[in-house]
Amino acid sequence: MWTDEDTVEVRIDGDRNVALLTVLRDDPDLSFWYLADAAAVDYGLGDHFEVVYHLYSDRHPAWLRVRANVSRNDPRIPTITSLWEGANFHEREMYDMMGIVFDGNRDLRRIYMSPDYRSFPQRRDFLLPDDAADSSAAGVNPLERPETWDLTRDSERLADGSA
Amino acid sequence: MTAEPKVIDPLDVERAEEARLRTAAGLSPIGRAGGEYAGFESVGLPDRPPQTEREREVYTLAEGEMLVNMGPQHPSTHGVMRLVLKVRGEVVIDIDPVLGYLHRGIEKLCENATYTTVMTYVDPMDYLSSMHNEHAPAIAFEKLYGVQAPKRAEYIRALVVELNRVFSHGLMMGFLSLDMGGLTPILYGFINRDEVVDMLSAISGQRMLFNFFRVGGVNFDANDEFFSRLGTWRSGVLKTIDMNERILTDNEIFRGRTIGMGVLSGKDAISLGVSGPNLRASGVAFDVRKAHPYSIYPELEFEVITQSGGDVYSRYIQRIAELKQSIHLIDQIVDRMPHGPVQAQVPGIIRPKPGRAYAAVESPRGLYSVYAISDGGPNPYRFRMRDPSFISLQAIPKLMPGHLIADTMAVMASFDPVMGGVDK
């Protein structure tokens, strides 16, 4: 069971995140003291990134969702590790998967992929192996070219006398 | 409830002893200042410059310090994970967890799957709480699609997630003692797990990756075999737990090693994003089942349990208390379970209206949440999962400095991380 009104949404510019979240956390009437989630969303080429924070407060019956806009050409946003230390792993994951740089985070390195990896796998323009058939290198391996496969069975060859 | 014994910092003892020996041998006192960047060759990796300030800090060694790899195949890291320990003798100075050995890109897989098939991908995440993994996306997708599961489906959902919590917490007792050298409790833990898993396989058809939840309901109705197994298990379960408790809770050695070790204050726990039983063991009463009630939890009677200690022992006691609480919840759910359908009318391929939904559940390891965005297509545009053990791991480097290497395992086991969830 769920109710429709269980999330309140706020949209801000990326560089305002620390100021807003500080108020949300420290104002006694708001007191959103728990950072439930921090995630990045990519809206595709020519659009923008979003860093989405979900906050919890015992004074309000709803989750608070803060959506911070980040430019796709210059994906930088201030870190919130000064407010919640635990945001560090969230930010490392967002950097690893989306390539968003968190200014001021002193441990911003890849967390899942190896340190010499160079791509950002959760961006919308990342090519999955399944999509590689559409790439310029498609068909380099003859085993991957079905039109060259000989599928006649030995029994069939015996029957028409070609073996 | 736990006594606060005086804990001697082994690091101080070590330093005092070293200073005494050096004076006796006529050597100059040990230099603390400076330290040199050691590089990655000492942990068996190709050398490279440090990428961040923190990395330089970990890999800079003062005199007498060295780096040791624990993992990725270490039996006590609860999966495939590597801890880089900076040690001075037996004492841990700093820890750098290195993750990603089990990374499967489940979020990306789910973004390329239909809403129904997402349920199969989230199962092997946190493999000790598969039911919880499915619960959060089920709620999120129902919000997106605007459908409510029937009452009986909600009761069955609550029943299976509580059963899942029972066996997960039962195993944690075993793993904690296993990491400290006690072999017996894990066997009792697995006996309990096997009975529960047989029950869940009777209802879902599978033993580990249940694939039981559907958008708008559950896959199967509860059958006779399930209820008869539930009855047999329920009549004996408190006895098994008591047996485990007698081995551990009052055990002098266990208490001596766990009380006062790895103390995490409530303030630090909140700041680090620690959730679930680990947060409540530090005295913070935050339980998603009460804070943001979902499913049928508003109808059930239970209180949020907390401990005051914040040490390994409190986290252990907290698990046992929640285990017993779950059993009482199961009693209530079975008593009140209504009749009716278990699946709402939902098409095979779901195309929700564009929108976004956030759903959080209380998994055995803490706040497990899903943030899903729909663009109107048959698969989620963005599917984000917040795994509690991933975030809780950050507490380990915070807690361990000053403890012995052997205690690292005990403190880690007390947080009960599952690497399948950590690495997604």
Side-chain angles (χ1 to χ4, degrees), chain A residues 58-121:
Chain A
D58 6 20
R59 289 169 177 272
H60 303 276
W63 298 103
L64 181 68
R65 177 187 303 149
V66 179
R67 292 166 61 188
N69 264 12
V70 183
S71 149
R72 209 168 192 284
N73 301 321
D74 181 27
R76 305 186 87 84
I77 183 170
T79 177
I80 58 157
T81 43
S82 51
L83 299 174
W84 287 281
E85 238 177 296
N88 182 26
F89 269 22
H90 285 303
E91 292 183 352
R92 282 179 68 183
E93 189 191 347
M94 285 187 252
Y95 165 71
D96 192 359
M97 293 291 138
M98 295 279 192
I100 298 174
V101 176
F102 291 84
D103 290 325
N105 186 330
R106 57 191 295 274
D107 195 18
L108 196 68
R109 52 192 154 127
R110 290 191 178 271
I111 194 162
Y112 287 141
M113 312 306 286
S114 66
D116 53 350
Y117 191 70
R118 279 164 193 282
S119 188
F120 300 108

Side-chain angles (χ1 to χ4, degrees), chain A residues 1 6 36 40 43 124, chain B residues 57 143 154 356 381-382 386:
Chain A
M1 241 182 297
D6 72 345
Y43 285 98
R124 296 304 292 189
Chain B
E57 185 185 299
K143 278 183 188 174
E154 292 286 5
R356 29 183 67 73
Y381 182 80
R382 178 80 171 95
R386 185 247 201 226

Side-chain angles (χ1 to χ4, degrees), chain B residues 236-250:
Chain B
V237 60
L238 287 174
K239 218 174 72 202
T240 349
I241 295 166
D242 273 352
M243 242 171 359
N244 242 351
E245 269 214 83
R246 268 204 305 270
I247 295 173
L248 285 179
T249 311
D250 304 325

